[in-house]
Amino acid sequence: MRKLIVSIIGLVMCLSVFGQRFTDATDLTIVGKVFPDTPNPYERMDFTKYGGWTEKDRNLLEMPSGIIVSFKTNSSGIWVKPVFKEIYQSQTSGFAARGFDLYIKKNGEWLWAGTCAYGLNKEKENGKVRALIEHMDDSVKECILYLPTYSKLTSLWIGVDDNSMIEKGEIPFRHRICLHGSSYMHGQATGRAGQTVPGYLTRLTGMQFCSLGVSGDCRMQPQFANALKDADVDAFVFDSFSNGTAESVKENLFAFIETIQAAKPGVPMIFMNTIWSERRNFDQPYDEVQGEKAEMAKILMKEAVKKYKDVYFISTSNATSAQHDTTVDGVHPGSWGYYLWADSVRKPILKILRKYGIK
């Protein structure tokens, strides 16, 4: 009897391992990119078309933060099989930095469905199959899968039950809005890959906020302006005052606006204030530097909205709870703080976009 039970368990395990088939993610629908057609579909910039990048720029733009795979399936389970170019650790949770995050639509709402994370050893992890979710019913489900915020991919396969269907999903969100910013938009310190500000705003509004977050590297540099002026988007939202200094804000802001507006007249450019960093509570030199930068941004944006048509400044960005306890490291919020930020700017952004028929 014991041998029979062992044999049955072994058979079930074999069915679990071998009863799957995998589809290349590039045969499904990939969204969430400011520049959709990149040579590597899991990178966010076409380096053959745009130049002037520093080594840091290129490293960050090769990361797939904000990229989403849309598909439909009636499978009882969903698995991933990635090949990584690089696997990264950071202040971010492993489920965000080197993991995959699945949402499924239910009753018209995107509900979290499953996640998985990979280890740091690329040789051991490449090609390893991990489950996002199992034991679902056989109804057709509309799915979106967020790719890792930091770890780079060369290929990705999505697995379903061998006897089930998987097909391209619709582009599940309206419009295309570029959200360019710092590590805050990149998703540093968040818990899962879908818990970034662009991710929250996309699901809260039904509009596609395409992430071009670059950790520590968003200072309105000319190379970013030269690429963004060609972006096929309906609007721009910028978190441009979180990195850099008061001097870099003063040096770069107006040239950044003018470069993009010359190529994109009539496209709204919405700038957000940076958030309060909890490190400012007691660190006096840090508080002074951050305060000077925030004040410079406030002064210059007051001038910019008068000087340039279609330029706006939203001063309501907030990622802090009433208890001032949403931070992870004194600089970056955790997932709840990022939700608070997205919610704090959602209505002002939508109000501006409505002026341009973006609803």
Side-chain angles (χ1 to χ4, degrees):
M1 184 66 180
R2 184 173 180 276
K3 288 184 178 180
L4 177 60
I5 292 172
V6 170
S7 297
I8 291 170
I9 292 173
L11 177 61
V12 170
M13 289 179 67
C14 287
L15 288 172
S16 174
V17 173
F18 298 109
Q20 303 157 0
R21 61 188 180 87
F22 287 83
T23 298
D24 191 323
T26 59
D27 292 330
L28 302 171
T29 302
I30 295 179
V31 298
K33 297 173 65 173
V34 176
F35 301 95
D37 300 319
T38 56
N40 180 333
Y42 308 114
E43 296 178 355
R44 295 177 293 156
M45 184 58 64
D46 185 346
F47 300 107
T48 67
K49 188 173 181 181
Y50 302 103
W53 307 110
T54 66
E55 183 178 346
K56 182 176 184 179
D57 297 337
R58 187 177 183 110
N59 178 51
L60 293 166
L61 292 167
E62 288 177 349
M63 297 173 180
S65 180
I67 298 179
I68 300 169
V69 182
S70 171
F71 60 96
K72 295 179 180 179
T73 184
N74 62 349
S75 178
S76 67
I78 299 172
W79 297 263
V80 288
K81 183 169 67 171
V83 175
F84 292 97
K85 180 179 178 181
E86 297 291 343
I87 299 179
Y88 287 99
Q89 173 69 310
S90 70
Q91 293 142 297
T92 300
S93 155
F95 289 103
R98 55 186 187 276
F100 298 83
D101 199 13
L102 178 70
Y103 284 75
I104 297 176
K105 185 169 280 189
K106 185 174 184 179
N107 298 325
E109 302 289 336
W110 290 108
L111 293 187
W112 177 84
T115 190
C116 69
Y118 282 78
L120 291 169
N121 189 318
K122 182 175 67 175
E123 285 68 31
K124 289 184 178 179
E125 297 296 81
N126 276 348
K128 185 173 286 187
V129 175
R130 283 202 162 86
L132 291 162
I133 187 170
E134 297 177 288
H135 314 301
M136 294 190 291
D137 63 36
D138 62 357
S139 63
V140 175
K141 292 163 280 289
E142 187 176 351
C143 308
I144 53 173
L145 178 67
Y146 288 87
L147 306 191
T149 52
Y150 283 85
S151 296
K152 303 175 185 179
L153 295 167
T154 57
S155 70
L156 174 65
W157 297 76
I158 296 177
V160 296
D161 296 331
D162 193 40
N163 61 349
S164 66
M165 57 78 72
I166 181 170
E167 62 183 35
K168 285 185 174 186
E170 306 295 329
I171 296 177
F173 308 109
R174 308 182 304 280
H175 308 295
R176 286 174 43 76
I177 301 161
C178 169
L179 209 171
H180 175 46
S182 67
S183 57
Y184 294 140
M185 300 303 113
H186 198 135
Q188 180 72 286
T190 193
R192 292 185 279 104
Q195 293 181 308
T196 63
V197 172
Y200 281 128
L201 280 173
T202 295
R203 296 192 303 277
L204 285 169
T205 66
M207 297 182 184
Q208 185 182 175
F209 283 81
C210 303
S211 175
L212 205 69
V214 282
S215 288
D217 199 35
C218 181
R219 300 183 302 281
M220 299 174 287
Q221 305 97 306
Q223 62 268 33
F224 283 95
N226 288 333
L228 289 173
K229 67 182 176 60
D230 289 344
D232 182 17
V233 296
D234 301 301
F236 294 95
V237 177
F238 298 109
D239 156 44
S240 296
F241 309 127
S242 298
N243 295 148
T245 61
E247 289 73 24
S248 67
V249 171
K250 184 176 182 180
E251 180 181 350
N252 294 339
L253 176 60
F254 289 175
F256 184 78
I257 292 172
E258 290 168 6
T259 298
I260 295 174
Q261 277 206 335
K264 296 287 182 185
V267 175
M269 300 178 68
I270 305 169
F271 290 81
M272 300 184 291
N273 66 297
T274 192
I275 57 169
W276 177 267
S277 297
E278 299 298 341
R279 183 178 164 188
R280 294 181 65 180
N281 295 340
F282 298 102
D283 187 328
Q284 296 179 67
Y286 181 81
D287 178 49
E288 183 178 353
V289 169
Q290 294 302 309
E292 289 174 353
K293 183 172 57 174
E295 183 63 20
M296 178 64 74
K298 181 180 177 181
I299 291 170
L300 292 178
M301 284 308 305
K302 185 176 181 179
E303 181 180 347
V305 297
K306 294 178 180 178
K307 183 176 182 180
Y308 304 105
K309 187 180 179 183
D310 306 312
V311 171
Y312 301 87
F313 183 51
I314 292 176
S315 60
T316 56
S317 298
N318 173 55
T320 299
S321 67
Q323 296 76 29
H324 283 255
D325 202 23
T326 59
T327 191
V328 170
D329 58 3
V331 176
H332 300 91
S335 300
W336 176 238
Y338 282 127
Y339 172 82
L340 293 176
W341 187 340
D343 195 48
S344 71
V345 299
R346 175 176 56 91
K347 288 182 179 179
I349 289 174
L350 292 179
K351 183 178 180 180
I352 293 167
L353 295 179
R354 281 196 293 269
K355 295 180 181 179
Y356 296 85
I358 304 170
K359 301 177 181 179

